[in-house]
Amino acid sequence: MIGSVLAPASPGEMLRLVRTGRAVTRTQLVTATGLSRSTVMHRVGALLSAGLLVEGARPDGSGGGRPPATLALNAGLGVVLAADLGAQHGRLAVCDLEGEALAEREEPIHIADGPDAVLDWVGRTFDALLAEAGRHDADVLAVGIDVPGPVDVERGRPVSPPIMPGWDDHPVADRLAERYPGALVRLERDVQAMALAEHRRHHSLLRDMVFVKVATGIGAGIIADGEVLQGSHGRAGDIGHIRSIEPSEVLCSCGNHGCVAALASGSALVRRLKEAGYAVESSLDVVELVKAGDAVATHHVRDAGRLLGAALAALVSVVAPSLVVVGGDLADASEPLLAGIRESVYERCSPRSTQELRILSSRLRERAGVVGAATLALEHMLAPAAVDARLARRGVAA
Ligand SMILES: [Zn+2]
């Protein structure tokens, strides 16, 4: 589709038109931007010489006559590093500029070991993955990292994250920026990254969507009008610490009693099943029991879904999304979990707000976080203003 954009389009904006497929030849760029052909030629030339664009195949395949060559983002110009840090495991990847993983690895970690131990592991693992992908530190153009707690996105630091002792105000983004000089580093709350990934990869035509993560903790990421809703310190969608509809004195990691996370998260289910006499240690053990058809575990997971659904109903009423995606470790026990969530949401929301609402499990599953971390780093690195600044540094006038 060729639509006109607000002129004058900078080189960065032209790169975005190409990247999103809205204009992929010089002629289409002239039409889309309203700029003169000579200006378009000049700016495309700047993007080509900076290595950001490459000339692709000629649409008719002939190479003869004067058919227009298509332009494309040069996905191999460099790499993006992505890190998805959970409470109990971390998944890291080296990706090309289309966000496709060239090398990827998941390992158990303990986020509670603190930033020094965890970020050392991140550095060592990135080294190994870069070697596996045949790339070097100098190829790293951007780094995206997400953590299971609130963050100050501007400063790149966690802010009083309940399940991350020792991480409060730690300069996570600065440490990575030191390691990869010149790379853009972006730190984000995990659920925002996951919401972004599911949206961009599978539901990009939807304006409004909610992603709920059910793992050691509980949180939601909100896509409003196509973009991630941050809220103060990335706290938008922090439904885990809403007080549950079921009165309870169970102490939550945040210090309050009876939060949804204290009753319906993976760690809450582990506690509940231990009390029922089961030998379980993690969300994955709970999922195994559900998959094996254990009636008690299935009951507890459905009940957790019901409690979570009650908090989610409020969010659905406020945001009015057309889709809720449920992800995180527990989403692998999706049938009883989704059944419980649906039961509460449809019971508590007005029929009008749920008329077109779908509630589905995550399609990216355990890769949602790492894909999201790569996506958010790429979106910032390839944002028109960032591209224009990159060209300016090379001495190319916009
Ligand atoms: Zn809490």
Side-chain angles (χ1 to χ4, degrees):
M1 188 187 80
I2 301 169
S4 61
V5 294
L6 288 176
S10 69
E13 280 154 349
M14 289 176 34
L15 179 66
R16 176 152 72 182
L17 289 170
V18 172
R19 203 163 64 84
T20 54
R22 286 197 286 164
V24 297
T25 65
R26 291 168 177 82
T27 307
Q28 288 174 353
L29 282 167
V30 168
T31 311
T33 60
L35 293 171
S36 71
R37 188 160 183 90
S38 62
T39 305
V40 166
M41 298 295 268
H42 174 71
R43 292 184 179 173
V44 166
L47 290 164
L48 285 167
S49 70
L52 285 160
L53 280 183
V54 284
E55 302 253 17
R58 291 173 187 269
D60 71 347
S62 73
R66 297 185 58 211
T70 55
L71 299 163
L73 173 71
N74 180 10
L77 175 66
V79 294
V80 169
L81 303 180
D84 169 40
L85 303 182
Q88 293 170 340
H89 43 80
R91 181 178 283 265
L92 270 53
V94 173
C95 302
D96 68 16
L97 299 194
E98 303 274 14
E100 294 306 321
L102 306 172
E104 183 168 326
R105 184 180 296 181
E106 188 194 44
E107 283 182 21
I109 61 165
H110 292 284
I111 201 87
D113 287 346
D116 288 333
V118 173
L119 292 177
D120 281 352
W121 171 79
V122 168
R124 283 195 309 276
T125 308
F126 276 151
D127 286 346
L129 290 172
L130 279 166
E132 195 181 321
R135 306 304 289 251
H136 307 279
D137 284 6
D139 296 324
V140 178
L141 300 180
V143 183
I145 179 165
D146 69 63
V147 294
V151 298
D152 181 330
V153 173
E154 297 307 321
R155 296 174 66 234
R157 296 174 180 222
V159 179
S160 310
I163 62 169
M164 298 171 63
W167 288 79
D168 183 29
D169 206 36
H170 190 82
V172 176
D174 286 348
R175 276 183 71 163
L176 286 160
E178 252 169 52
R179 196 178 172 101
Y180 304 102
L184 175 151
V185 181
R186 189 81 186 172
L187 174 72
E188 193 111 17
R189 184 184 176 88
D190 59 356
V191 282
Q192 328 285 39
M194 291 169 167
L196 185 73
E198 289 283 345
H199 182 263
R200 297 299 193 263
R201 288 289 178 102
H202 295 297
H203 308 287
S204 62
L205 297 178
L206 300 180
R207 308 292 310 172
D208 304 288
M209 189 193 103
V210 168
F211 179 93
V212 190
K213 177 192 175 193
V214 192
T216 304
I218 285 177
I222 301 168
I223 300 288
D225 211 13
E227 297 301 331
V228 172
L229 186 70
Q230 288 288 349
S232 169
H233 292 166
R235 280 201 171 86
D238 194 7
I239 58 170
H241 301 286
I242 292 176
R243 184 164 288 226
S244 171
I245 48 162
E246 212 145 273
S248 165
E249 285 310 308
V250 174
L251 183 65
C252 181
S253 58
C254 72
N256 287 330
H257 294 269
C259 294
V260 171
L263 302 178
S265 63
S267 35
L269 282 163
V270 167
R271 193 197 65 244
R272 283 199 204 193
L273 288 170
K274 271 184 176 166
E275 284 167 8
Y278 286 83
V280 285
E281 295 300 330
S282 70
S283 304
L284 299 177
D285 296 338
V286 177
V287 170
E288 285 307 310
L289 283 170
V290 170
K291 282 184 172 166
D294 185 277
V296 175
T298 303
H299 164 78
H300 280 292
V301 170
R302 184 174 175 129
D303 192 53
R306 206 175 50 77
L307 296 177
L308 169 58
L312 195 53
L315 187 60
V316 164
S317 299
V318 173
V319 177
S322 47
L323 174 68
V324 170
V325 173
V326 182
D329 292 347
L330 252 297
D332 284 339
S334 62
E335 269 181 48
L337 186 70
L338 288 183
I341 291 173
R342 288 189 179 119
E343 181 188 321
S344 281
V345 170
Y346 290 118
E347 180 190 298
R348 290 169 171 270
C349 291
S350 76
R352 208 173 291 166
S353 64
T354 55
Q355 205 168 20
E356 291 174 6
L357 177 69
R358 290 178 299 154
I359 301 177
L360 305 173
S361 54
S362 163
R363 289 179 58 185
L364 289 166
R365 303 168 71 97
E366 72 278 8
R367 296 196 66 237
V370 80
V371 171
T375 305
L376 73 95
L378 275 169
E379 289 198 357
H380 282 92
M381 185 200 131
L382 296 173
V387 169
D388 293 339
R390 188 181 174 87
L391 292 180
R393 281 198 301 275
R394 291 172 52 98
V396 181

